[in-house]
Amino acid sequence: MMFDRIFEKDVAITGVGQSAVGRPVARSGMRLTLDACLEAIADAGLKRADIDGVACWPGDNNNGDAFSPVGPNALIGTLGLQVNWYGGGYEGPGPLAGIINGAMAIASGLCRHVLVFRTITEASRRKVDKNASALTNKTIGRDSSFFWQWYTPFNVLSAINLMALYTQRHFHEYGTTPEQLAQIALTCRTNAALNPKAIYRTPLSLDDYFASRMISTPLRMLDCDVHCDASTAIILSRADVAKDGPNPPIRLEAIGAALHQPWSWDQIDLTATAARDVGEMMWARTDLKPKDVGSAQLYDGFSILTMIWLEALGLCPRGESGRFVEGGHRIARDGQLPINTNGGQLSGGRTHGLGYVHEACSQLWGRAGERQIAPHHVSVVAAGGGPLGGSVLLVRD
Amino acid sequence: MTRKLPLLTEDNTPFWQGGAQGRLLIHHCADCTRLFHPPAPICPHCGSFEVAPRAVSGKGKVLSYTINHQAWRPDLIEPYVVAIVELAEQAGLRFVTNIVGLPAEAVHIDMPVRVRFEQHEDVWLPLFEKDA
């Protein structure tokens, strides 16, 4: 991949915010959103009137779904914003699509400050209906969706079945073991113990991991992230005006958003997925190298995805993620590549994408409290699974 | 076990109803002679519109599998096996299905399989069983 223009270098993160994270939180999806967004705007030293763009993935699906109960449409009026551009919608390179779209809006001259947010209320919803997120409930009657109709007839009723297929194939091709995979869940739990907002903070042992219920072989309950209610917001600013804010700007050094394979859960490279294309694109847009990365916040909606991202981003060789994470010391807070330092989604809560960006910035700004790791300047964030994937390389100069 | 059935369209009907005649119908391109899935009006490889469903052998192998233990709905019968089967005709030609007719623990990667249709209303699901 060759690129003539690296637009994201004109964009920086200037503020972050996050609501309470809980299981559940006794606040509406809109109230959570406002908590996150107002905190982020203030953190960036801005006022509501300064925000001239709004981005969200996936946005409101027009169904009030707990997966994304609040989109840009509802937020703009509620918060009294006057925007030059806004965008949501599901079809994009995964949970970081809002960041990527917002950065494009700034780089193309539409906006100076874009508010990116992501709200999720799955914990509240599941108090009412524990099968709320089963795929059979995504469409009424026969499945006409491009997304799922090739899977639901075979009772693939959760994404975990597809992730399990990737995992089993990874085990088969590379000799990855369940003990190695368990290190993702164990590392996240260890990190979560130091994060006051994390959902699960009690220590976890390898025995606990193997005692957890099998959901879809070889993936267990503890390989799945934990539903929560939360909203996270990020302020993107044009690089020249970002310097005026109270926080040292965190530059978007490079983004990855490529998909050079079919948009499909089973027609793609089963052990590298779209993440492979995303990683190649991101590194083609920067002179930095994987060895420059000081921390990595890697999607762990299911533990195997963190392993896939480690390989796809070149943080370890392809097929070697099992051996890389073995014993957990390399990926620990004091290891050579700390990952998911807030507990990830496995223990921190399924904030679904922007939580990783929030954590990366907190670490780069040195304000992660008890869980702060050694000072560093470069962090990579990647999110998504299967055909969905996006990444962003963040630099605090 | 009940199934969430697909909405039939002009493009996908041959795949979902081929089983009525005991045939697994996969889209084939007359120009580049490749098979492709899922079915569509155009060949994703060469861009030709000269595409049509064609019967394949129904034989293949397990590329990956998982044993689902979770009761996503009250009417499911767990455990059941979800797999990706690669068809014998062409490397990379594959789709998600179920492996049936043997204990879940007996399924393994590279196991030879053959299609076995299961009718639900006007849909014939291409499931797979162990091929002797």
Side-chain angles (χ1 to χ4, degrees):
Chain A
M1 279 175 255
M2 295 272 286
F3 298 95
D4 300 330
R5 181 174 162 238
I6 315 298
F7 73 86
E8 57 270 36
K9 294 192 193 301
D10 297 336
V11 182
I13 294 173
T14 51
V16 301
Q18 190 173 61
S19 70
V21 178
R23 191 173 160 86
V25 180
R27 293 193 161 199
S28 71
M30 179 56 84
R31 181 55 200 267
L32 293 170
T33 307
L34 294 170
D35 289 349
C37 293
L38 291 171
E39 183 177 290
I41 293 168
D43 187 40
L46 300 175
K47 297 186 163 43
R48 284 182 294 155
D50 297 316
I51 300 299
D52 54 6
V54 174
C56 180
W57 181 91
D60 178 7
N61 295 324
N62 294 320
N63 60 5
D65 189 31
F67 181 64
S68 183
V70 180
N73 294 359
L75 182 67
I76 289 166
T78 302
L79 206 46
L81 302 177
Q82 297 183 346
V83 296
N84 296 333
W85 171 88
Y86 62 100
Y90 195 91
E91 290 173 295
L96 298 180
I99 297 285
I100 295 164
N101 289 341
M104 289 195 290
I106 290 172
S108 62
L110 292 174
C111 307
R112 284 156 56 101
H113 300 287
V114 173
L115 168 63
V116 187
F117 74 99
R118 170 82 172 101
T119 304
I120 197 157
T121 52
E122 290 179 321
S124 288
R125 183 69 191 126
R126 287 161 69 94
K127 293 282 180 200
V128 180
D129 175 6
K130 75 181 179 71
N131 291 324
S133 44
L135 300 180
T136 39
N137 297 328
K138 297 287 184 189
T139 50
I140 295 164
R142 288 207 169 189
D143 200 334
S144 60
S145 70
F146 176 81
F147 207 116
W148 293 120
Q149 68 160 293
W150 299 102
Y151 313 103
T152 51
F154 303 105
N155 283 325
V156 171
L157 300 181
S158 161
I160 193 176
N161 297 137
L162 302 161
M163 302 304 126
L165 293 167
Y166 302 159
T167 312
Q168 196 81 276
R169 187 72 201 176
H170 202 281
F171 284 16
H172 177 79
E173 283 185 32
Y174 302 117
T176 312
T177 67
E179 287 79 5
Q180 292 169 342
L181 184 66
Q183 291 300 330
I184 303 299
L186 268 53
T187 299
C188 284
R189 184 62 63 89
T190 301
N191 294 346
L194 300 174
N195 176 9
K197 289 174 106 174
I199 303 289
Y200 291 137
R201 303 183 65 194
T202 54
L204 198 64
S205 71
L206 195 58
D207 286 344
D208 294 331
Y209 175 82
F210 282 112
S212 83
R213 198 156 54 85
M214 189 65 85
I215 306 293
S216 189
T217 62
L219 297 180
R220 299 172 180 277
M221 181 71 96
L222 288 176
D223 291 304
C224 308
D225 60 2
V226 50
H227 291 97
C228 68
D229 295 347
S231 181
T232 309
I234 308 291
I235 305 295
L236 298 176
S237 301
R238 212 172 65 201
D240 60 327
V241 293
K243 291 194 285 288
D244 302 335
N247 297 314
I250 293 176
R251 292 192 295 102
L252 272 56
E253 169 70 17
I255 61 122
L259 179 63
H260 294 180
Q261 306 170 68
W263 200 104
S264 164
W265 298 92
D266 56 0
Q267 306 295 312
I268 52 175
D269 182 327
L270 298 178
T271 53
T273 69
R276 182 190 77 190
D277 305 332
V278 170
E280 284 177 16
M281 171 173 165
M282 189 185 79
W283 293 117
R285 295 171 75 81
T286 176
D287 294 329
L288 295 179
K289 303 294 177 200
K291 66 173 171 51
D292 298 316
V293 172
S295 68
Q297 311 296 340
L298 306 178
Y299 191 79
D300 56 355
F302 299 98
S303 55
I304 183 64
L305 298 175
T306 307
M307 307 273 275
I308 287 173
W309 279 116
L310 281 169
E311 297 177 19
L313 296 172
L315 301 170
C316 72
R318 179 154 186 191
E320 292 290 321
S321 59
R323 283 169 284 280
F324 186 79
V325 305
E326 191 161 319
H329 47 275
R330 286 193 188 87
I331 55 172
R333 288 179 53 256
D334 57 354
Q336 70 180 68
L337 182 71
I339 68 163
N340 300 8
T341 45
N342 63 347
Q345 294 186 177
L346 288 171
S347 285
R350 178 177 157 81
T351 52
H352 212 244
L354 293 191
Y356 302 103
V357 180
H358 187 283
E359 175 64 7
C361 293
S362 299
Q363 291 287 350
L364 289 171
W365 278 326
R367 58 188 207 195
E370 211 184 342
R371 66 179 187 282
Q372 181 68 47
I373 61 172
H376 57 291
H377 291 277
V378 181
S379 183
V380 68
V381 181
L388 288 164
S391 68
V392 58
L393 190 63
L394 301 174
V395 175
R396 180 194 164 176
D397 292 316
Chain B
M1 192 153 64
T2 59
R3 304 274 186 167
K4 175 90 167 175
L5 296 176
L7 184 71
L8 297 181
T9 67
E10 188 175 335
D11 293 326
N12 71 18
T13 294
F15 179 82
W16 293 118
Q17 292 193 330
Q21 282 81 44
R23 300 194 303 170
L24 179 59
L25 298 178
I26 300 291
H27 264 50
H28 176 264
C29 174
D31 280 338
C32 76
T33 74
R34 276 181 283 202
L35 296 152
F36 64 91
H37 184 81
I42 190 168
C43 172
H45 303 296
C46 74
S48 169
F49 282 102
E50 296 301 313
V51 299
R54 161 181 292 206
V56 295
S57 66
K59 289 175 180 283
K61 65 177 181 181
V62 173
L63 209 56
S64 194
Y65 72 97
T66 179
I67 305 171
N68 178 79
H69 292 276
Q70 179 75 12
W72 306 108
R73 287 197 317 251
D75 59 310
L76 289 178
I77 303 165
E78 322 87 37
Y80 57 90
V81 179
V82 174
I84 299 176
V85 164
E86 183 170 79
L87 299 178
E89 279 73 11
Q90 185 177 299
L93 184 66
R94 62 202 191 196
F95 56 85
V96 163
T97 180
N98 299 122
I99 308 296
V100 295
L102 77 168
E105 297 72 28
V107 175
H108 59 88
I109 287 180
D110 291 334
M111 186 176 87
V113 291
R114 66 176 174 232
V115 72
R116 181 173 106 182
F117 292 100
E118 185 177 291
Q119 184 186 356
H120 292 262
E121 301 175 22
D122 58 355
V123 170
W124 281 258
L125 296 174
L127 311 182
F128 285 79
E129 61 189 0
K130 187 173 185 179
D131 193 19

